[in-house]
Amino acid sequence: VKLAYYPGCVAQESGKELDMATRWVAKALGIELVSFPSFSCCGSGFIDEANEVLNVALNARNLAIAEKAGLDLLTICSTCQGMLTLANLRLGDAKVKARVDGALRPLGIEYRGTTKVKHLLQVLTQDIGLEAIRAKVTRPLDGLKVGAFYGCHLLRPADEMQWESAEEPHSFEDLLSVLGASPVYYRGRVMCCGFPIQFVKPATASKIAGHQIDDAKAHGAEAMATPCPLCHISLDAYQNQAAKAVGHALDMPVLHLPQVVGLALGASPDELGLPRHLVSTTAVTDRLRARA
Amino acid sequence: MAEETVTATFDIYRYEPGKDAAPRYDRYVLDLPPHTPVLTALLKVRAEIDPTLTLRYSCRSAICGSCAMQINSKSRLACEAAIGPELARDGRIVVEPMRNQPVLRDLVVDQGPFWDNYGKIQPHLILDPRHPMPEGRENPMTPAEVDRFKETPRCIACAACYSACPAVEADPAFPGPMALAKLYRFVVDPRDRAQQDRLVRIQTEGLWLCLRCHLCTEACPKDVRPSERIRDLKEMAIAAQGATEQGSRHAVAFKENIRDRGQLNEMKLARQTFGPIGLIAQTPQGIRIARKKPELLHAPHAIEGQDEIEKIYEALDDGKTKEDLP
């Protein structure tokens, strides 16, 4: 499997541990990542609110870069996945396409719409396959109870994302089972983390994050895992604020998707950037060490 | 010939505030054909087993919007949800009242706040006295003008979106997806003369608390797609008034931020959104995060082809919205 690697802004900056873990897992599973230093930000939903057509054009440029190299595009962020997928769809509107083409053509950029946008979760569960991953597990996760947290834009709107049921997704839980974890099913797993209003009304954003962490906890989760670095910011980097908003301690380790895969495939916590988290992940790593 | 039936287990939420100490779930087991709507089963329970079971319904044809409830934790119209698929997936059918609204009794919730939020958006045409309705005839619209409503006229005010919304759950200042979808409908109505006022007002009345999580769009039984119309409202509000609120400031600051280098400068975004004074309140948390993630404090390098980003902005960032496209 060879893909145009679109890490997104956060994984190149404050969420660098996600990039580290992605590269480790890709190497272990034989996924070839081709980097393009010309990729721009996907707009993260904010540029879409300020200027929809501009946002589509920025992503048409990103898609055209992968298209020119003849590659499908790999995202590691639910929001990047959503924005790039929506750009592909909105370019189906002739009026939007004409205006975007008008801006891109003078730059010699051609968008034809042949590049598929795939999130790492899809590549792992569909292209690599659960059995191939199972065969590489060297350190099963010891029945650790993990609550998957999908991130809105990977799932919804379901008729546009064209993947799995937005109400009853199961790919992440299937993957967790293969890694030796016990997936926890809870309502909050498909809910919002609050991130989009973290800079608009921080107290409300943190309350929303707190609700989802509480829900995972009430269903027995010992850790959460997310395929979205923006959810990770809300659930991990701002977890102290979420705890304040709901009025009690949360102490919930939150892993990025490739970190949880990497742990089961034998990576060290340092290789996966776990020490960079705000909430300690030693409850997870100590448990694995004790078993080994 | 008698139709094949399945044995269906229902766990139904029962609660009468002021009388019951706590909610409970009553179990009923019925043999029914798999295509039976949940509402039909509930009415059978009420008719044959427990006449005190309380629920709201009217038309039984998915048009009155009365029987929205949670069926196996998902927002559904009870008259539309067949028992077969629910049983196939979950093995039983848990029926609960909608969320985000206080329970009056069993499956009936107090819709007061939902309707209050609807009332606040002034869901009626506001006309300009200088341009009165034409005397003696209706005020017609062209088919193209009607198309601008998109799916919003389909709304049956069932409140499934309100029940599913995490912003409603967390913050009473958010008017909810239905009220905003209805507002959109009046903002794009060519007969309405209050477009500007409506957009200015909603900026301070909760528009920017929408999380764009699309849970409303998923919950809506009529495919009204409120989250997408809320996005449209945000873009129109910025075009009408500029970035005057924290939410619009953040969206515009993000847009400007990406123009600089092609990728996000996290520290600068905080500075742009909160302003120098607001940033002070954010500083302790920023320092706390930067101790583990020092990249937060560094500006990223510009992407290759940054000049292309600049030219795309020059071509397209002209204050026009998608609604203005020829």
Side-chain angles (χ1 to χ4, degrees):
Chain A
V1 185
K2 184 176 172 183
L3 294 158
Y5 177 44
Y6 185 90
C9 298
V10 172
Q12 298 177 78
E13 298 166 27
S14 66
K16 215 162 70 185
E17 68 279 1
L18 169 58
D19 177 64
M20 295 160 67
T22 302
R23 290 177 187 278
W24 194 96
V25 166
K27 199 170 166 202
L29 294 174
I31 303 169
E32 191 183 337
L33 303 178
V34 184
S35 292
F36 293 88
S38 48
F39 278 147
S40 78
C41 171
C42 75
S44 190
F46 296 107
I47 298 183
D48 184 46
E49 292 176 338
N51 184 333
E52 177 179 355
V53 177
L54 171 66
N55 195 56
V56 171
L58 293 173
N59 284 320
R61 177 182 169 279
N62 287 326
L63 291 163
I65 290 167
E67 191 167 55
K68 200 169 168 191
L71 296 171
D72 285 339
L73 186 147
L74 172 72
T75 67
I76 52 172
C77 168
S78 297
T79 302
C80 295
Q81 176 69 18
M83 286 301 125
L84 286 153
T85 305
L86 283 183
N88 255 337
L89 282 171
R90 289 176 185 171
L91 284 159
D93 178 327
K95 284 200 288 189
V96 173
K97 175 89 165 39
R99 187 151 152 86
V100 168
D101 279 348
L104 297 186
R105 212 175 297 120
L107 306 174
I109 300 170
E110 189 196 5
Y111 164 88
R112 286 176 294 131
T114 59
T115 289
K116 286 200 200 86
V117 181
K118 296 177 176 181
H119 190 282
L120 179 63
L121 182 59
Q122 291 167 312
V123 171
L124 293 177
T125 55
Q126 294 173 338
D127 297 347
I128 303 296
L130 294 176
E131 288 318 308
I133 294 171
R134 193 195 306 273
K136 300 246 175 163
V137 170
T138 58
R139 186 170 52 194
L141 299 181
D142 192 28
L144 185 76
K145 290 184 187 150
V146 181
F149 190 88
Y150 279 83
C152 298
H153 299 277
L154 185 56
L155 298 172
R156 291 183 297 268
D159 55 352
E160 295 183 332
M161 292 304 119
Q162 295 276 325
W163 186 31
E164 61 180 331
S165 159
E167 292 181 323
E168 302 279 352
H170 55 80
S171 60
F172 205 162
E173 285 82 2
D174 295 348
L175 177 62
L176 289 169
S177 299
V178 161
L179 302 174
S182 301
V184 172
Y185 291 84
Y186 62 108
R187 174 177 177 267
R189 73 199 178 98
V190 297
M191 298 286 288
C192 178
C193 69
F195 177 82
I197 58 168
Q198 187 65 57
F199 276 17
V200 179
K201 200 165 178 184
T204 300
S206 290
K207 196 166 159 192
I208 292 168
H211 286 163
Q212 318 316 348
I213 299 171
D214 264 346
D215 191 21
K217 214 170 186 170
H219 287 80
E222 300 163 285
M224 291 169 76
T226 179
C228 180
L230 307 185
C231 296
H232 196 269
I233 291 173
S234 286
L235 300 174
D236 177 67
Y238 282 86
Q239 192 178 115
N240 61 321
Q241 301 293 335
K244 209 183 282 175
V246 296
H248 52 257
L250 292 168
D251 299 325
M252 177 65 78
V254 185
L255 304 179
H256 293 284
L257 162 68
Q259 288 177 329
V260 76
V261 178
L263 281 176
L265 267 50
S268 74
D270 284 350
E271 287 173 309
L272 300 171
L274 289 174
R276 294 172 46 88
H277 289 209
L278 273 285
V279 179
S280 167
T281 56
T282 50
V284 173
T285 50
D286 284 354
R287 171 119 165 233
L288 299 182
R289 197 175 306 125
R291 193 173 182 272
Chain B
M1 200 176 81
E3 224 177 331
E4 209 175 302
T5 62
V6 290
T7 300
T9 301
F10 293 86
D11 288 324
I12 302 177
Y13 180 97
R14 305 299 303 272
Y15 183 47
E16 194 177 346
K19 194 173 150 206
D20 301 333
R24 67 178 194 279
Y25 289 82
D26 282 351
R27 176 163 288 194
Y28 304 96
V29 181
L30 305 172
D31 286 326
L32 297 164
H35 67 258
T36 307
V38 171
L39 178 61
T40 305
L42 295 174
L43 295 177
K44 193 173 163 71
V45 167
R46 194 174 71 171
E48 298 176 12
I49 307 171
D50 184 351
T52 69
L53 176 64
T54 308
L55 66 152
R56 203 183 248 138
Y57 75 100
S58 177
C59 77
R60 307 195 210 190
S61 303
I63 201 64
C64 77
S66 300
C67 68
M69 48 187 78
Q70 288 196 90
I71 296 170
N72 287 339
S73 301
K74 293 176 287 289
S75 296
R76 291 280 185 275
L77 296 177
C79 66
E80 216 177 25
I83 63 168
E86 295 300 323
L87 291 169
R89 198 184 46 243
D90 291 347
R92 63 177 182 150
I93 299 173
V94 181
V95 186
E96 295 164 305
M98 282 192 288
R99 299 172 66 92
N100 299 337
Q101 297 153 94
V103 171
L104 292 174
R105 183 168 169 175
D106 296 345
L107 302 172
V108 175
V109 296
D110 177 2
Q111 294 193 312
F114 170 74
W115 288 113
D116 288 347
N117 278 309
Y118 178 50
K120 278 187 213 150
I121 63 113
Q122 297 186 284
H124 50 82
L125 285 179
I126 298 173
L127 302 171
D128 184 337
R130 289 166 301 173
H131 301 92
M133 295 272 271
E135 192 89 26
R137 66 178 182 91
E138 291 172 4
N139 196 351
M141 285 191 290
T142 65
E145 286 170 337
V146 174
D147 283 347
R148 295 189 66 191
F149 293 161
K150 302 197 173 135
E151 300 89 350
T152 54
R154 293 183 195 164
C155 177
I156 57 173
C158 68
C161 59
Y162 195 83
S163 171
C165 176
V168 168
E169 182 179 350
D171 198 327
F174 185 59
M178 177 266 207
L180 291 171
K182 292 282 190 189
L183 175 67
Y184 169 88
R185 177 244 171 278
F186 286 99
V187 165
V188 298
D189 192 316
R191 302 164 300 176
D192 194 85
R193 291 286 174 264
Q195 184 193 51
Q196 185 79 14
D197 294 348
R198 290 181 188 276
L199 289 171
V200 167
R201 243 185 81 190
I202 200 62
Q203 286 228 67
T204 59
E205 293 182 6
L207 175 65
W208 293 99
L209 293 177
C210 168
L211 300 152
R212 57 169 179 275
C213 68
H214 301 298
L215 280 158
C216 54
T217 290
E218 218 52 57
C220 177
K222 294 295 174 188
D223 199 29
V224 168
R225 310 187 81 79
S227 52
E228 296 180 357
R229 299 297 74 80
I230 297 170
R231 191 221 66 82
D232 293 343
L233 282 175
K234 288 173 175 172
E235 187 174 359
M236 286 189 276
I238 292 172
Q241 199 191 8
T244 54
E245 300 306 312
Q246 184 75 0
S248 46
R249 261 200 303 279
H250 186 46
V252 170
F254 198 101
K255 185 189 73 184
E256 294 306 323
N257 194 298
I258 301 309
R259 184 176 194 152
D260 288 348
R261 293 164 198 265
Q263 55 184 336
L264 182 63
N265 183 342
E266 293 175 301
M267 193 57 208
K268 189 173 175 194
L269 179 66
R271 213 162 49 231
Q272 286 169 318
T273 302
F274 289 110
I277 306 292
L279 194 61
I280 295 169
Q282 303 301 316
T283 300
Q285 183 71 13
I287 292 171
R288 198 172 174 274
I289 296 171
R291 280 212 315 266
K292 294 288 190 117
K293 300 172 178 253
E295 302 80 7
L296 193 65
L297 305 175
H298 306 151
H301 61 83
I303 62 163
E304 278 178 21
Q306 165 60 26
D307 52 322
E308 294 173 1
I309 302 297
E310 182 59 38
K311 292 211 172 74
I312 292 172
Y313 272 74
E314 278 170 21
L316 298 177
D317 196 25
D318 54 5
K320 289 205 178 86
T321 72
K322 198 174 68 168
E323 300 294 318
D324 300 320
L325 290 189

